[in-house]
């Protein structure tokens, strides 16, 4: 199975300039900002000094040149960085973005003044110029993001953290606006909770392709043991998790399923899937699909259980922000009487990167219903201690919108003996979050990722995707 590498982020860079401010600062500032972007692994599309004075934007002609350059590279550009080594010309900057025709995230940055160099020759006034630029962007209807500090040294860790967050925001927006996701099978009959609106998702650029489970079974049953693709998948499964002692027949079914799902995804250019994992899969095909789903998510091809498409959207957004595999979990149990802790759980199909260690097993919950011999394939273990970001997404059909929540917490080392894929979480003011989830009608599922990217998720989904977003913990 090919690992889906995360593409490098490309930013269109606008270096602002203003005629009666010291423009030598723009020359050195442009050099400095490009150096930092290169060190952060971010590709750049920007005017060259041969195009305009120092490669900056000041006049209407400069704005047209910059807009044309960005337009010519629109397929590459994920976002725009506006940087102000001096006050900058707010009209030139706003016009450059308008001429580009791009609808991408915009980050506005201003350089620090040096209080020891405040003469007319060296004073930047970027502090003030940033307000003027933002005012014009607001007038032009161009959404934008800000650095944590109003002015900041490009080489500082604060600015680098801002860049990483913004790059995550850009990746989420670019990916979601053209996402193609697969829905395999019908939702479990008793799971009204995962109902969703394809039309609302399509309005945001997210296309859903469907495949009936009978087609999956039919295609998989045609696969023979000597099929090279099935043999490769068997080897991949054995390399992923210890399969010693389990029936070869079940493992062959598992491998055949994996081949069929991956071929269908490739044929339809899909970035992730949500799958009907019970109980038709066990009754009529004789395995649980958890191992295959775990392997997909581990390779940055997120796979959600119980046909939870909006859960898959959350997994995909978190993955794009962090570059790490996402998991779909249940907010499942209290943890004693600690109001800020809880137990998260799935049966499970979590990617192995989130576990302390893993083992394959039979599905303990379904075994009593469909027969233990038909439930091989769960990936079980304890989730390792880590900071994490969570995200819930739902289509609010009654109000014609998509809603989401996000925040950060910690997987703890608190003792717990149970089965499946499980962990103990600590979330500040957890009871407030749980109340919000219930009152707003969100699913009991939550997407999670071993990273701290809630800022990027909040901005991407709210400011740029236009969804209704609740950020938990922002005022805690």
């Amino acid at each position: 199975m090919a690992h889906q590498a995360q593409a490098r982020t490309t930013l269109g860079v606008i270096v602002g300039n203003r005629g009666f401010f010291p423009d030598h600062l723009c020359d050195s500032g442009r050099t400095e900002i490009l150096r930092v972007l290169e060190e952060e692994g971010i590709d750049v599309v920007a005017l060259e000094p041969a195009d305009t004075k120092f490669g900056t934007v000041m006049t209407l002609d400069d704005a047209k040149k910059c807009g044309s350059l960005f337009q010519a590279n629109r397929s590459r550009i994920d976002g725009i960085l506006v940087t102000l080594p001096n006050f900058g010309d707010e009209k030139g900057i706003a016009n450059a973005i308008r001429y580009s025709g791009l609808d991408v995230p915009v980050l506005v940055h201003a350089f620090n003044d040096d209080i020891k160099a405040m003469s007319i020759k060296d004073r930047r006034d970027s502090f003030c110029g940033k307000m003027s630029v933002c005012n014009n962007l607001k007038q032009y209807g161009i959404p934008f993001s800000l650095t944590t500090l109003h002015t900041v040294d490009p080489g500082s860790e604060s600015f680098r953290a801002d860049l990483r967050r913004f790059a995550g925001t850009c990746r989420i927006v670019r990916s979601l606006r053209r996402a193609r996701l697969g829905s395999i099978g019908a939702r479990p009959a008793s799971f009204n909770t995962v109902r969703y609106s394809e039309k609302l998702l399509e309005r945001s650029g997210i296309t859903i392709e469907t495949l009936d489970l009978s087609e999956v079974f039919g295609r998989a049953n045609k696969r023979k043991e000597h099929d090279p693709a099935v043999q490769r998948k068997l080897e991949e499964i054995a390399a992923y998790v210890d399969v010693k002692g389990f029936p070869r027949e079940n493992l062959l079914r598992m491998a055949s399923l994996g081949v069929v799902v991956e071929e269908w995804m490739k044929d339809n250019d899909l970035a992730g899937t949500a799958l009907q994992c019970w109980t038709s899969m066990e009754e009529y095909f004789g395995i649980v699909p958890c191992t295959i789903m775990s392997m997909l998510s581990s390779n940055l091809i997120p796979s959600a259980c119980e046909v939870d498409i909006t859960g898959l959207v959350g997994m995909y957004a978190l993955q794009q922000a962090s570059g790490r595999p996402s998991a779909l979990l249940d907010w499942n149990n209290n943890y004693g009487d600690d109001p800020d802790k809880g137990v998260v759980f799935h049966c499970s199909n979590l990617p192995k990167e989130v576990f302390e260690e893993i083992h394959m097993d039979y599905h303990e919950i379904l075994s009593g219903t469909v027969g233990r011999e038909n439930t091989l394939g769960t990936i079980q273990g304890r989730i390792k201690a880590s900071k994490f970001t969570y995200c819930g997404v739902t289509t609010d059909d009654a109000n014609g919108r998509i809603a989401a929540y996000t925040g950060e917490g910690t997987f703890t080392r608190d003792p717990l003996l149970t089965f499946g894929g499980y962990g103990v979480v600590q979330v500040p003011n957890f009871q407030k979050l749980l109340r919000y989830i219930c009152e707003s009608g969100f699913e009991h599922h939550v997407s999670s990722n071993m990273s701290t990217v809630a800022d990027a998720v909040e901005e991407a989904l709210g400011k740029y995707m236009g969804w209704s977003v609740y950020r938990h913990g922002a005022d805690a």
Side-chain angles (χ1 to χ4, degrees), residues 87-147:
F87 191 101
D89 189 277
E90 64 264 31
K91 287 175 62 179
I93 290 166
N95 283 331
I97 297 173
R98 176 170 283 178
Y99 281 129
S100 77
L102 295 179
D103 180 18
V104 296
V106 176
L107 177 64
V108 183
H109 161 254
F111 278 71
N112 280 331
D113 261 308
D114 182 349
I115 60 171
K116 296 179 182 178
M118 295 287 283
S119 71
I120 193 66
K121 295 181 180 180
D122 296 299
R123 185 167 135 170
R124 298 182 185 275
D125 286 2
S126 307
F127 189 103
C128 185
K130 181 175 180 177
M131 298 177 192
S132 296
V133 168
C134 292
N135 175 278
N136 276 256
L137 294 180
K138 200 76 173 177
Q139 290 185 46
Y140 280 51
I142 299 171
F144 57 89
S145 301
L146 299 171
T147 53

Side-chain angles (χ1 to χ4, degrees), residues 378-441:
T378 59
I379 297 295
Q380 303 202 25
R382 174 160 186 153
I383 299 171
K384 60 190 175 186
S386 171
K387 298 288 186 182
F388 77 104
T389 302
Y390 53 85
C391 177
V393 177
T394 195
T395 56
D396 181 359
D397 302 32
N399 293 298
R401 64 177 188 171
I402 299 176
Y405 67 87
T406 189
E408 294 170 359
T410 305
F411 284 106
T412 75
R413 292 187 172 88
D414 289 299
L416 182 65
L417 293 176
T418 187
F419 62 95
Y422 63 92
V424 178
V425 297
Q426 184 169 25
V427 176
N429 208 358
F430 193 28
Q431 297 302 307
K432 179 181 178 182
L433 173 63
L434 295 171
R435 189 176 301 113
Y436 179 82
I437 290 169
C438 291
E439 290 180 344
S440 303

Side-chain angles (χ1 to χ4, degrees), residues 217-229:
F217 296 162
R219 296 177 192 181
N221 285 329
K222 290 179 181 179
R223 296 284 180 167
K224 305 302 180 184
E225 181 173 355
H226 59 266
D227 185 325

Side-chain angles (χ1 to χ4, degrees), residues 19 49 76 95 118 172 187 193 213 252 288 304 315 320 346 348 363 374 408 411 415 448 454 462:
R76 296 177 53 210
N95 283 331
M118 295 287 283
I172 294 171
R187 63 170 173 79
T193 187
L213 211 54
L252 282 169
V288 295
M315 293 174 70
Q320 292 303 309
H346 250 159
S348 76
H363 198 299
N374 296 317
E408 294 170 359
F411 284 106
S448 70

Side-chain angles (χ1 to χ4, degrees), residues 16-18 21-23 25-26 84-88 123-126:
N17 192 5
R18 197 156 186 149
F21 285 83
D23 57 11
L25 297 172
C26 294
L84 302 174
N86 67 19
F87 191 101
R123 185 167 135 170
R124 298 182 185 275
D125 286 2
S126 307

Side-chain angles (χ1 to χ4, degrees), residues 29-207:
R30 179 181 182 278
T31 300
E32 173 71 359
I33 206 80
L34 294 184
R35 179 186 66 81
V36 172
L37 288 167
E38 182 178 8
E39 290 175 356
E40 289 297 318
I42 296 173
D43 294 333
V44 168
V45 174
L47 291 170
E48 297 292 339
D51 301 320
T52 63
K53 190 172 186 180
F54 302 130
T56 63
V57 171
M58 180 169 60
T59 67
L60 182 62
D61 189 51
D62 295 343
K64 289 181 177 179
K65 288 181 179 179
C66 184
S68 295
L69 176 66
F70 286 4
Q71 178 70 24
N73 289 274
R74 66 180 301 112
S75 64
R76 296 177 53 210
I77 294 175
D78 302 306
I80 293 172
L81 170 63
V82 174
T83 184
L84 302 174
N86 67 19
F87 191 101
D89 189 277
E90 64 264 31
K91 287 175 62 179
I93 290 166
N95 283 331
I97 297 173
R98 176 170 283 178
Y99 281 129
S100 77
L102 295 179
D103 180 18
V104 296
V106 176
L107 177 64
V108 183
H109 161 254
F111 278 71
N112 280 331
D113 261 308
D114 182 349
I115 60 171
K116 296 179 182 178
M118 295 287 283
S119 71
I120 193 66
K121 295 181 180 180
D122 296 299
R123 185 167 135 170
R124 298 182 185 275
D125 286 2
S126 307
F127 189 103
C128 185
K130 181 175 180 177
M131 298 177 192
S132 296
V133 168
C134 292
N135 175 278
N136 276 256
L137 294 180
K138 200 76 173 177
Q139 290 185 46
Y140 280 51
I142 299 171
F144 57 89
S145 301
L146 299 171
T147 53
T148 303
L149 300 174
H150 185 67
T151 61
V152 62
D153 177 0
S156 68
E157 182 53 37
S158 178
F159 179 69
R160 290 174 186 269
D162 289 332
L163 267 183
R164 294 167 199 148
R165 181 201 74 230
F166 182 67
T169 295
C170 291
R171 290 192 298 270
I172 294 171
V173 173
R174 184 179 183 88
S175 298
L176 288 183
R177 283 179 175 170
R178 60 181 188 183
R180 293 178 54 80
L181 305 175
S183 177
I184 303 176
R187 63 170 173 79
S190 59
F191 255 50
N192 282 356
T193 187
V194 294
R195 286 173 169 174
Y196 71 98
S197 168
E198 284 191 47
K199 292 181 179 180
L200 287 178
L201 291 175
E202 191 71 69
R203 192 183 298 171
S204 286
I206 301 170
T207 296

